[in-house]
Amino acid sequence: MILYYDVCAFIILILIIMSCVLKKMFHGRNNGLFYLMMLVIMLSTIADFGAGYMKDYGVRSDINHTVTYMWHYIYFFTHNLILPSYLPFIYSNIGMWHEFEKNKKVRAIWYASMIINTAGLVVNMFYPFIFYVDEKLQYYRMRGILMFYINAGLFMLFEIAVILKYRSIIRKDKFIVMLLLYPIIMIGIVVQAFMPDHLVEMFMISVALLLFSLIIRREEEMTDPMTGARSYNVAHEHIRNVLATGTPVYILLIKMVNFKNIRLYLGQQLLSTFLREQSSKFGAFARYNSLEEDIYYLEDGLFAVISETMDGEAVKKLAVQIKNYYSDTLDVEGFTVMINSRLCILRCPEDIDNYNTLYSFCISFERILPDTKDVMFYPDYVDNREFRIKSELDEIIDRAISYKSFELFYQPIYSILEKRFVAAEALIRIRDEIYGLISPGMFIEAAEISGAIHAIGDFVLEDVCRFISENDFDELGLKCIEINMSTSQCIEMNLVEKVAFLLKKYKLDASRLNLEITESAVDFDPDVVDQNITRLHEMGINFALDDYGTGYSNVKRVTTLPVEIVKLDKSFVDGVDDPKMWIMVQDTVKMLKEMGRKVLVEGVEEEKVVHKFTELGADYIQGCEYLQGYYFCRPLPEKDFLEFMKMQVK
Ligand code: C2E
Ligand code: MG
Ligand code: MG
């Protein structure tokens, strides 16, 4: 009997185990099942060796006879378990574990294969139809052994069918290795069947396993170096897999809302320590709840727990535990931090079944969902209009661009000096087929992030030009229309050409347009913005500085920019009742007037505000020129606005 093969197989198995330990492959179901397979194969190899040894070197005795039998039984039992132990490993590795757990047919086939083999061995104890060992400790195969071969062959076909069925969701290298296992084992079986003295089968199996261990990912590749949690890529692969296979999972999202401040406060090194603490804490909480779940770090203070096994209650418990943990201040090597956390639980595929929506929800849920201190559950919000709009914004904007379903509303601007409406601000809305009218506050920022703002800006410019050209503005008493410009529009290289083209196309005087810019736009890329503003100004277009007083106010820029009007944000209006604030408002107006700017007050809702600002006197150095707000008129659709203006002129 040639035993070296078994010795080699054993050495290979030991090496695989060592490399797995070095790779820190302790965690998760995949690794657990891999070790289980190794254990089965190891026992089988030892028994194979034991039986072979007894055959060649065993001294004839009753006890040795029994021992030899025992080795053979252990060998057959464990050997017959190798293929069945591979099945759960396959399901787990391709992310279809739930199928293995729930599909009764799969289970039945799995059990049947093991039961038939075990029953065969039990019967063999009384009626040796598979093998027997004579007094000389020699082993003889009987015809019944064919049963094992047939059983193994059928089971193998079943496993191959499973792998082929899910080929589209299996990583290519994994797919190849998973299938490669079979020809390698077959070679071993065939060789050993014809040359029973060559115990190559276990050797071949261990070689196949070695291949496997090579494609199983190293721990470091799966771990985010900064936090010690599972990395972004692994999370995405997991999520993609789960959605592709329809595996039901719970996802718990944990977001530190004030992460940016914490990063600034702690600095990179302490931040890493802090995040590591977080992920090990979450791991400890999970273990406390007897959960065997991976903690993922996605980005910018966002952790996720993805669970295929825990039930809703357990996820909730874990979430509440984490929420409580965050409710206290935390100590990071002497630095005290307070985390403002938001947690949300969702189920897939019930709640979200496609990757893009899920991904954008994960990274923006804290902005989309209403602000609450409690753990949130996705299903509670699905019927909320605002939530639905926010989570589908990109699609809504794309739809609006393709169907040109934007609409401009106009809000009249009142001149204190002339005591009438002299201009209007164009304010965009989307008229969506599903959600109706959507206000710009909900979509402008998203459009700026996605880049759709350029198409929107082009639409606004052209539609305002069309509107002006189709109406007699002099008759309506209107001088110009104000257009809101986004930061990204202000840095468009061809902005000037675009505006010039439209003015020509609609035969308009440049003074009919007044472009509103914000200070953030001005500071964003001063060179390009300056160039655009200067050239447009030279063409005769006026500028207004919008939302003055909301951000930090770069007074120097205000003095140097050719803006004609500065629009005071509504927050100034809110200050009219407070004597100290009112002093500040007056001083601001005075300062702007001294710089030669005209002042417009936005958000005027009450008569007393009108009085307060009118009393300043528009022609006086301290006064404001224009007022705008709901008190006079809300933004109106084009037709209504025209009606409104006609009524004023009468
Ligand atoms: P904004 O330019 O500061 O426009 C003034 C906003 O205040 C408008 O909101 C207007 O409806 C609202 N408003 C007017 N009077 C009052 C009032 O008395 N009280 C209160 N509470 N609000 C008042 P809207 O139309 O929702 O627009 C919001 C913002 O969206 C605008 O702020 C502007 O920054 C942006 N936006 C609007 N249209 C466009 C556009 O065509 N392009 C770009 N880039 N941004 C736009
Ligand atoms: Mg504006
Ligand atoms: Mg404004």
Side-chain angles (χ1 to χ4, degrees):
M1 180 107 345
I2 299 164
L3 296 171
Y4 305 129
Y5 290 109
D6 270 350
V7 176
C8 285
F10 196 75
I11 293 171
I12 292 175
L13 289 171
I14 294 286
L15 286 175
I16 297 173
I17 290 181
M18 276 169 60
S19 90
C20 289
V21 170
L22 286 174
K23 284 179 184 175
K24 298 200 184 86
M25 285 170 46
F26 308 120
H27 210 79
R29 194 193 314 114
N30 281 355
N31 286 337
L33 290 169
F34 189 67
Y35 283 119
L36 191 73
M37 252 168 70
M38 300 264 281
L39 180 75
V40 171
I41 294 168
M42 203 107 156
L43 282 175
S44 192
T45 312
I46 294 170
D48 199 23
F49 182 87
Y53 183 86
M54 290 310 270
K55 183 182 176 204
D56 286 355
Y57 308 109
V59 182
R60 223 194 281 183
S61 72
D62 274 357
I63 188 116
N64 277 352
H65 189 237
T66 314
V67 168
T68 310
Y69 254 116
M70 186 198 73
W71 280 130
H72 279 290
Y73 275 113
I74 295 177
Y75 169 75
F76 274 115
F77 182 71
T78 50
H79 192 262
N80 286 339
L81 273 182
I82 295 176
L83 278 178
S85 70
Y86 188 43
L87 188 69
F89 181 73
I90 293 172
Y91 274 107
S92 176
N93 253 277
I94 59 182
M96 291 298 295
W97 183 251
H98 65 292
E99 176 82 6
F100 178 71
E101 274 191 326
K102 303 239 166 71
N103 190 322
K104 289 201 176 95
K105 271 189 214 148
V106 171
R107 282 276 161 150
I109 293 171
W110 191 58
Y111 283 129
S113 159
M114 291 186 287
I115 290 170
I116 291 170
N117 284 338
T118 314
L121 287 177
V122 171
V123 173
N124 194 69
M125 290 179 185
F126 308 100
Y127 174 75
F129 74 113
I130 294 171
F131 74 94
Y132 81 92
V133 176
D134 68 9
E135 290 79 42
K136 290 182 207 150
L137 307 183
Q138 294 305 302
Y139 152 85
Y140 297 95
R141 288 199 262 181
M142 313 289 287
R143 245 188 235 138
I145 202 160
L146 213 67
M147 176 185 116
F148 285 166
Y149 283 109
I150 293 171
N151 195 356
L154 290 175
F155 199 76
M156 215 183 256
L157 288 178
F158 174 66
E159 286 183 342
I160 292 173
V162 170
I163 297 172
L164 290 178
K165 181 176 168 193
Y166 296 113
R167 67 185 172 284
S168 59
I169 57 164
I170 309 177
R171 236 177 43 213
K172 215 166 176 185
D173 57 345
K174 230 184 218 183
F175 177 68
I176 294 169
V177 172
M178 271 181 173
L179 284 179
L180 214 62
L181 196 87
Y182 299 103
I184 295 178
I185 293 179
M186 287 297 282
I187 293 171
I189 291 176
V190 171
V191 170
Q192 200 165 328
F194 290 101
M195 297 186 280
D197 271 355
H198 290 67
L199 300 181
V200 291
E201 204 181 324
M202 296 316 297
F203 175 69
M204 294 308 266
I205 290 176
S206 60
V207 168
L209 219 59
L210 185 67
L211 268 178
F212 237 111
S213 77
L214 292 178
I215 60 147
I216 292 186
R217 272 210 240 170
R218 292 165 60 88
E219 185 74 5
E220 297 92 278
E221 288 169 39
M222 298 174 64
T223 307
D224 175 55
M226 172 124 133
T227 58
R230 289 265 180 266
S231 69
Y232 186 87
N233 290 343
V234 183
H236 284 264
E237 200 178 298
H238 194 165
I239 290 173
R240 267 186 203 286
N241 209 312
V242 154
L243 290 175
T245 57
T247 312
V249 286
Y250 273 98
I251 300 178
L252 166 62
L253 298 168
I254 307 151
K255 171 81 183 176
M256 296 182 237
V257 181
N258 54 341
F259 180 72
K260 284 199 177 86
N261 297 343
I262 293 190
R263 184 167 51 194
L264 262 176
Y265 174 57
L266 292 178
Q268 201 59 21
Q269 208 152 3
L270 266 189
L271 181 74
S272 174
T273 313
F274 176 59
L275 291 174
R276 273 175 184 281
E277 260 171 37
Q278 310 289 295
S279 63
S280 65
K281 202 87 200 170
F282 300 160
F285 286 152
R287 277 192 298 281
Y288 176 81
N289 286 319
S290 317
L291 301 169
E292 212 194 89
E293 305 310 327
D294 282 334
I295 316 290
Y296 295 91
Y297 184 69
L298 297 179
E299 56 184 24
D300 285 348
L302 174 64
F303 282 100
V305 181
I306 304 174
S307 165
E308 289 168 37
T309 51
M310 57 170 143
D311 58 73
E313 275 309 305
V315 192
K316 203 170 149 188
K317 248 170 81 184
L318 177 65
V320 170
Q321 215 162 10
I322 294 174
K323 192 84 200 172
N324 289 341
Y325 162 69
Y326 276 141
S327 65
D328 265 343
T329 53
L330 302 173
D331 179 79
V332 193
E333 297 189 4
F335 289 83
T336 307
V337 291
M338 181 84 208
I339 301 291
N340 176 8
S341 69
R342 301 198 72 191
L343 279 79
C344 178
I345 296 171
L346 65 151
R347 293 163 310 162
C348 293
E350 291 102 316
D351 293 343
I352 299 180
D353 63 1
N354 76 79
Y355 178 79
N356 287 340
T357 314
L358 180 59
Y359 175 69
S360 66
F361 178 77
C362 287
I363 59 167
S364 60
F365 81 97
E366 87 276 8
R367 274 175 278 137
I368 292 175
L369 296 181
D371 204 357
T372 154
K373 296 242 171 308
D374 299 324
V375 174
M376 296 175 284
F377 295 89
Y378 184 95
D380 295 347
Y381 297 100
V382 278
D383 294 331
N384 177 311
R385 176 180 184 265
E386 194 177 326
F387 166 71
R388 293 196 68 98
I389 292 175
K390 282 186 183 167
S391 42
E392 285 171 39
L393 257 186
D394 286 338
E395 288 132 72
I396 292 175
I397 294 171
D398 284 349
R399 201 152 61 210
I401 292 175
S402 345
Y403 299 122
K404 293 207 169 25
S405 45
F406 292 106
E407 240 175 69
L408 285 178
F409 277 43
Y410 292 90
Q411 186 176 36
I413 293 171
Y414 183 79
S415 158
I416 296 177
L417 204 63
E418 299 182 42
K419 295 192 174 56
R420 64 181 187 90
F421 297 99
V422 292
E425 176 173 5
L427 295 159
I428 196 166
R429 277 102 182 86
I430 289 177
R431 192 173 291 280
D432 187 69
E433 55 187 16
I434 300 170
Y435 298 107
L437 213 57
I438 303 174
S439 67
M442 288 182 93
F443 66 83
I444 290 291
E445 197 186 331
E448 282 171 338
I449 293 170
S450 73
I453 194 68
H454 297 286
I456 296 179
D458 290 351
F459 167 84
V460 175
L461 276 173
E462 171 130 28
D463 206 51
V464 169
C465 289
R466 174 200 56 78
F467 174 59
I468 301 174
S469 74
E470 283 175 2
N471 293 284
D472 189 339
F473 262 43
D474 288 334
E475 203 173 283
L476 293 168
L478 288 169
K479 290 178 184 155
C480 66
I481 297 289
E482 300 200 342
I483 296 176
N484 288 287
M485 301 286 287
S486 273
T487 307
S488 28
Q489 271 179 288
C490 294
I491 54 170
E492 278 177 17
M493 289 298 183
N494 60 346
L495 179 68
V496 180
E497 286 71 26
K498 241 188 242 176
V499 175
F501 170 79
L502 288 173
L503 290 176
K504 203 165 153 205
K505 179 175 171 188
Y506 290 97
K507 301 190 182 66
L508 296 184
D509 193 90
S511 65
R512 290 288 188 207
L513 297 184
N514 193 335
L515 302 185
E516 290 188 7
I517 52 172
T518 57
E519 280 172 297
S520 58
V522 175
D523 266 358
F524 188 69
D525 191 343
D527 290 345
V528 184
V529 176
D530 268 11
Q531 215 177 43
N532 276 342
I533 293 177
T534 313
R535 285 180 62 200
L536 288 166
H537 193 246
E538 281 166 6
M539 274 165 56
I541 288 180
N542 283 321
F543 282 87
L545 192 64
D546 203 358
D547 302 336
Y548 184 79
T550 47
Y552 73 107
S553 294
N554 186 340
V555 177
K556 185 162 172 278
R557 294 294 289 159
V558 180
T559 52
T560 51
L561 278 172
V563 289
E564 190 200 12
I565 300 171
V566 175
K567 299 185 81 168
L568 296 192
D569 184 70
K570 193 176 178 307
S571 48
F572 283 89
V573 168
D574 298 336
V576 296
D577 285 333
D578 179 344
K580 283 191 185 138
M581 285 283 281
W582 182 238
I583 294 173
M584 192 272 292
V585 174
Q586 280 174 297
D587 281 351
T588 307
V589 174
K590 188 164 175 269
M591 178 193 76
L592 292 169
K593 294 303 297 269
E594 280 170 1
M595 286 177 188
R597 309 289 179 245
K598 289 179 181 167
V599 177
L600 183 154
V601 183
E602 280 190 284
V604 177
E605 288 177 357
E606 294 165 299
E607 194 165 358
K608 71 167 187 220
V609 177
V610 179
H611 287 312
K612 271 283 223 208
F613 281 100
T614 318
E615 276 164 16
L616 292 178
D619 46 355
Y620 180 57
I621 186 77
Q622 289 182 342
C624 306
E625 275 81 6
Y626 306 107
L627 300 175
Q628 179 186 352
Y630 295 167
Y631 171 76
F632 298 101
C633 186
R634 288 189 173 253
L636 298 171
E638 187 176 308
K639 247 173 82 190
D640 297 354
F641 170 69
L642 285 173
E643 286 298 311
F644 176 86
M645 286 311 295
K646 279 175 194 155
M647 292 285 289
Q648 302 295 316
V649 190
K650 267 186 199 163

